[in-house]
Amino acid sequence: MDLEDVPGVGAKTAERLRELDDPAGALEREDVAAVASAPGISTGRAARIVRGAIRARHDDPGGFLATDRAREVYDAVLGLLQERATTTYAEHRLATLYPTASASRIEEVAAFAERAHERSLDPSVAEALADVEPIERPDDVTVRDRCLATADAETYQAATAAFPKLPVEIVDDARGLADLARGYSSVVALDEAFAGVAIEGDVTVDPSAFDHPAEHIPERALAFFATNRASLRAAAAVHRRAGVDAPLDLDELEDALDDLAADGSVAGDEELERLNVAVDDLDAAVSTAESVANDRLRAAIEERDVTIEGADLLSLVERGAGVDSLLSRELADEYAAAVAAAREHVRDALALRNDEAERAVRIFGDEPTYPVERRDEAVSRLREALVAERDRRAAKRKRDLAGRLADLRAGASVLVRDALELDVELAVARFCADFDCTPAERGGVGFEIEGGRSPLLDVPFNDVEPVDYAVDGVALLSGVNSGGKTSTLDLVAVVVVLAHMGLPVPAESARVPAVEELHYHAKSQGTLDAGAFESTLRDFAALTRGADAKCVLVDELESITEPGASAKIVAGILEALHGAGATGVFVSHLAGEIRDAAEYEVDVDGIRAVGLKDGELVVERSPVKDLLARSTPELIVEKLAGEADDAAFYEDLLAKFNGDGP
């Protein structure tokens, strides 16, 4: 499938998607996170692109949700699903589930929902999921302290392409290689011709460098794992707690992550840490050592009485000698002890090894002076040696760790993706558990719902009374105000939407017709003007055209115009839908008048109100077949007729409702 064949993907978006390693694969597996990693594509946009790819794959033209109210019901159902997700990724991923007439897509999601339904809802899994984020691309890694070298132009071109963030230099001979070694901490020669050439500096010959790039630019692998370290740890915990198979060895991954610092450097290496501290603290340690030596020497001088013979003093003056000569003659041992203390302080403060301590000895000279002063050149040489040793060890540890992690990278990406997809499944599982859902059948004429409860009601779900309702074709639904007619329509819409998403429905059992479109018309707010009324009639006329199966739910259409005309209009619409083989429910307070005006026997169902209790309606929520439900005014008149005062008046009114009046 070409990227530009996906609905909603234009040339610019397709170009961005092509920067992914496998854009077609990401769309095929519905990987919202991978699509969102393309430049300039948000997670929400990625979800819409994936949804378009699903439609293209299943040849789905869309348009199932044919009215605003139908879309509102879907949005509400989707919101309930998304509320049960732990990760933001899962919220966006759930938006790729949508109602459709495509049987292949419905079956695909149904299989997914069946797997989800089997998931254990372990709270510890959700706790681990809270820290899982989609894989991020690390910032570009550019290395400047090492380079590749070659004398061959073709090898140069290949190396530049294979190692875009690593300097590649052209050299003519060993002398050029030596020059590079003085400017870089390490050089890798790519030509076999340089093998065996002795060059001072960190120079290696590796013609096979292309086969193991992580060894020469380990920062790239380390940056990936450092950037995603927290998410990888959380994803590993998710797999362990959920008891699902991981795409890599979790122990191996976690051990490697233990050796990786947040900034991409190597962690847990005591020797490397020692060298880092030695380099950082060198100047401070030397300054303190100077103070140690001078304090000891000053104390020694203050404690000594030095007597100089006149002839000796004259001799020192004639030779131009100063205090250093006096120190050498009179305090040589004390000076030696002071310098020894200074050297010991440097060695101990920096935890120097023996070979490093030998270099540190040169920082303070053996010839007595006062005050004792460092030799800056010796300090610089020690620093260079420590830095070189640190960098060599860090590079080796980086190469070793990158080598361990490089083989885990593909599996690490899948590990995180699988954890995020598990969250999608768990959200569906929680939805099914919270609303007592069961798979619905699709097919036949009309619908049958047993024990259905709408999750859209503004009451706790456990307090919702179950409803049984079945319709064969198109029916009228009557009932008192606040008796539950609109809630029943909502329940039917929810069941139809979820069934065509491929998801279980909130009912003990359910069957819905396989329809192409859901038309749900909410109650009109007042009488429409002529233009709006005409537009509404055109909408219903369009419903009767074409062979597409439709489900039509309408709430009190009679409010669009005068009651007398409404009954005739609704009757005509019912006749047309009946002839077209549609499935539908029309809620109306004019059910009797509509039935009388229709030219076929319209089914009239009623939500029965059995009376009033403490001013509140007592209602049987499940519609009763072939029942024209009584109105609320009739119930009130009936209640008053049973009272002593003015009983005759109320009985006469009640007779009007029963058709017995004059």
Side-chain angles (χ1 to χ4, degrees):
M1 176 178 61
D2 189 85
L3 292 177
E4 294 186 38
D5 291 338
V6 175
V9 174
K12 290 183 179 179
T13 301
E15 193 63 30
R16 292 172 179 172
L17 292 175
R18 289 189 183 99
E19 294 192 29
L20 300 174
D21 292 337
D22 181 18
L27 294 176
E28 179 68 25
R29 61 178 180 268
E30 303 175 20
D31 190 345
V32 172
V35 175
S37 68
I41 294 182
S42 66
T43 306
R45 171 73 172 139
R48 292 191 293 273
I49 292 171
V50 168
R51 185 165 166 166
I54 293 170
R55 287 177 50 199
R57 189 169 72 245
H58 291 280
D59 195 23
D60 177 8
F64 182 91
L65 301 168
T67 62
D68 289 343
R69 181 56 187 158
R71 285 185 285 273
E72 289 171 1
V73 169
Y74 165 70
D75 289 342
V77 168
L78 179 61
L80 292 173
L81 282 163
Q82 292 174 323
E83 287 174 8
R84 284 153 179 80
T86 300
T87 62
T88 302
Y89 169 85
E91 292 180 20
H92 290 292
R93 176 71 172 80
L94 286 164
T96 65
L97 304 178
Y98 64 95
T100 175
S102 168
S104 60
R105 174 58 180 172
I106 292 172
E107 291 168 4
E108 187 175 76
V109 176
F112 160 81
E114 185 176 356
R115 293 194 305 272
H117 193 65
E118 296 172 357
R119 294 292 185 191
S120 172
L121 298 176
D122 184 347
S124 68
V125 176
E127 182 182 351
L129 275 167
D131 294 323
V132 180
E133 297 286 347
I135 290 293
E136 292 184 31
R137 288 184 174 184
D139 295 334
D140 287 343
V141 176
T142 300
V143 179
R144 303 190 185 280
D145 66 338
R146 75 191 77 104
C147 75
L148 304 175
T150 178
D152 180 70
E154 291 185 4
T155 304
Y156 173 84
Q157 294 293 336
T160 301
F163 301 90
K165 303 303 178 182
L166 196 63
V168 182
E169 305 283 354
I170 288 282
V171 294
D172 295 326
D173 49 27
R175 178 177 295 179
L177 202 58
D179 289 340
L180 284 180
R182 284 190 287 271
Y184 291 95
S185 63
S186 64
V187 178
V188 178
L190 301 175
D191 304 340
E192 187 69 44
F194 290 116
V197 177
I199 299 175
E200 184 178 351
D202 186 2
V203 178
T204 58
V205 179
D206 187 4
S208 63
F210 297 97
D211 299 331
H212 43 88
E215 183 173 333
H216 299 293
I217 186 167
E219 290 84 358
R220 183 179 297 173
L222 298 183
F224 169 83
F225 283 93
T227 300
N228 298 288
R229 186 176 60 162
S231 189
L232 288 167
R233 287 190 182 280
V238 168
H239 280 71
R240 291 189 189 280
R241 296 177 186 182
V244 297
D245 293 336
L248 45 65
D249 187 318
L250 295 180
D251 290 335
E252 185 180 357
L253 173 65
E254 289 171 332
D255 288 345
L257 291 177
D258 286 342
D259 293 338
L260 181 66
D263 62 356
S265 61
V266 176
D269 186 326
E270 294 182 1
E271 174 62 9
L272 185 57
E273 180 61 23
R274 181 191 72 81
L275 290 166
N276 275 320
V277 171
V279 171
D280 293 341
D281 294 353
L282 176 59
D283 286 333
V286 171
S287 294
T288 302
E290 279 183 330
S291 298
V292 167
N294 285 314
D295 289 346
R296 289 188 63 143
L297 193 56
R298 185 182 302 108
I301 293 172
E302 289 173 350
E303 293 173 1
R304 292 285 298 274
D305 292 327
V306 180
T307 301
I308 303 177
E309 298 286 340
D312 292 337
L313 178 60
L314 183 59
S315 176
L316 289 171
V317 172
E318 288 176 345
R319 295 202 307 268
V323 69
D324 290 349
S325 297
L326 179 61
L327 285 173
S328 179
R329 197 185 80 171
E330 298 292 335
L331 297 171
D333 292 341
E334 286 77 0
Y335 178 84
V339 168
R343 292 166 176 168
E344 182 178 2
H345 176 81
V346 172
R347 184 184 67 243
D348 293 345
L350 302 180
L352 299 179
R353 297 195 313 253
N354 289 339
D355 58 324
E356 297 162 347
E358 290 176 4
R359 292 179 180 273
V361 165
R362 304 187 186 103
I363 293 175
F364 300 104
D366 294 327
E367 293 298 322
T369 61
Y370 185 82
V372 178
E373 294 182 347
R374 75 181 76 184
R375 293 177 173 176
D376 289 334
E377 184 179 350
V379 174
S380 296
R381 285 198 294 268
L382 177 59
R383 178 181 289 105
E384 289 172 2
L386 291 172
V387 168
E389 179 61 23
R390 180 198 64 184
D391 291 348
R392 279 193 297 271
R393 185 169 186 87
K396 182 179 184 306
R397 287 302 311 277
K398 281 183 178 181
R399 288 194 296 268
D400 292 344
L401 183 56
R404 291 162 58 195
L405 289 171
D407 293 337
L408 299 175
R409 176 159 181 169
S413 296
V414 176
L415 181 79
V416 171
R417 187 181 74 217
D418 288 352
L420 293 169
E421 288 296 326
L422 177 62
D423 190 29
V424 181
E425 292 186 22
L426 291 176
V428 172
R430 292 187 192 99
F431 178 90
C432 293
D434 291 347
F435 299 117
D436 293 335
C437 294
T438 188
E441 296 180 22
R442 289 174 58 254
V445 178
F447 61 82
E448 300 174 18
I449 299 172
E450 292 186 9
R453 290 186 289 170
S454 172
L456 305 186
L457 294 174
D458 192 20
V459 296
F461 185 72
N462 289 335
D463 295 339
V464 177
E465 295 181 34
V467 170
D468 299 333
Y469 192 30
V471 166
D472 182 7
V474 183
L476 286 166
L477 180 59
S478 62
V480 297
N481 287 332
S482 302
K485 300 185 298 298
T486 299
S487 297
T488 300
L489 277 192
D490 283 348
L491 172 63
V492 174
V494 166
V495 170
V496 170
V497 166
L498 283 170
H500 285 80
M501 291 172 72
L503 297 177
V505 303
E508 294 176 6
S509 67
R511 179 193 59 78
V512 298
V515 297
E516 304 283 334
E517 299 171 2
L518 171 63
H519 295 257
Y520 187 175
H521 293 268
K523 187 184 303 184
S524 175
Q525 301 299 316
T527 302
L528 302 182
D529 60 31
F533 177 67
E534 179 181 341
S535 176
T536 300
L537 289 183
R538 289 181 183 276
D539 290 341
F540 279 98
L543 289 179
T544 64
R545 295 197 298 268
D548 293 343
K550 299 177 179 66
C551 180
V552 183
L553 307 175
V554 182
D555 196 357
E556 296 187 21
L557 183 62
E558 63 265 21
S559 63
I560 65 173
T561 188
E562 296 87 351
S566 292
K568 297 181 178 65
I569 290 169
V570 174
I573 292 172
L574 291 177
E575 291 169 3
L577 292 175
H578 174 72
T583 293
V585 178
F586 278 60
V587 167
S588 178
H589 287 291
L590 302 177
E593 292 86 339
I594 295 170
R595 180 181 58 187
D596 294 340
E599 295 183 359
Y600 80 102
E601 190 174 342
V602 180
D603 291 335
V604 177
D605 305 326
I607 295 178
R608 180 162 48 198
V610 296
L612 294 167
K613 183 177 180 180
D614 299 327
E616 298 290 334
L617 282 170
V618 179
V619 178
E620 293 179 354
R621 299 294 179 183
S622 294
V624 178
K625 304 302 294 181
D626 301 321
L627 172 68
L628 181 60
R630 295 187 296 172
S631 66
T632 302
E634 181 180 357
L635 290 171
I636 294 173
V637 171
E638 183 180 65
K639 174 180 178 295
L640 294 174
E643 298 177 355
D645 296 339
D646 300 318
F649 172 75
Y650 296 118
E651 287 174 356
D652 289 342
L653 289 180
L654 187 61
K656 300 289 186 182
F657 284 101
N658 296 327
D660 298 331

